[in-house]
């Protein structure tokens, strides 16, 4: 787990271009922070789901 990248994943001020870069290196922990972003585009969600299978089928609080 990279705490810095996990923190960036939940940072709402992070520009979309950097969110794309995080998606490209996402593991399950980083993806957990990214999946709850309200500003995640459809394309980013698809990329994230492809990178971390089962991410969107997990039960979330």
């Amino acid at each position: 787990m990279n705490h810095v990248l996990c923190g960036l994943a939940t940072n709402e001020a992070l520009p979309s271009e950097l969110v794309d870069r995080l998606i490209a290196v996402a593991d399950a922990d980083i993806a957990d922070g990214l999946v709850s972003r309200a500003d995640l585009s459809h394309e980013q969600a698809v990329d994230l789901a492809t990178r971390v299978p089962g991410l969107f089928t997990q039960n979330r609080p």
Side-chain angles (χ1 to χ4, degrees):
M1 171 187 287
N2 185 321
H3 295 287
V4 173
L5 294 181
C6 289
L8 285 172
T10 60
N11 182 346
E12 294 180 11
L14 196 68
S16 181
E17 299 80 26
L18 295 180
V19 172
D20 290 337
R21 292 180 70 178
L22 278 176
I23 290 170
V25 299
D27 60 11
D29 294 322
I30 296 169
D32 225 19
L34 290 167
V35 74
S36 62
R37 293 182 65 97
D39 64 343
L40 204 63
S41 72
H42 176 76
E43 182 180 349
Q44 287 171 325
V46 170
D47 289 345
L48 188 57
T50 302
R51 175 124 182 110
V52 184
L55 181 66
F56 290 98
T57 59
Q58 299 171 2
N59 290 332
R60 303 224 167 258

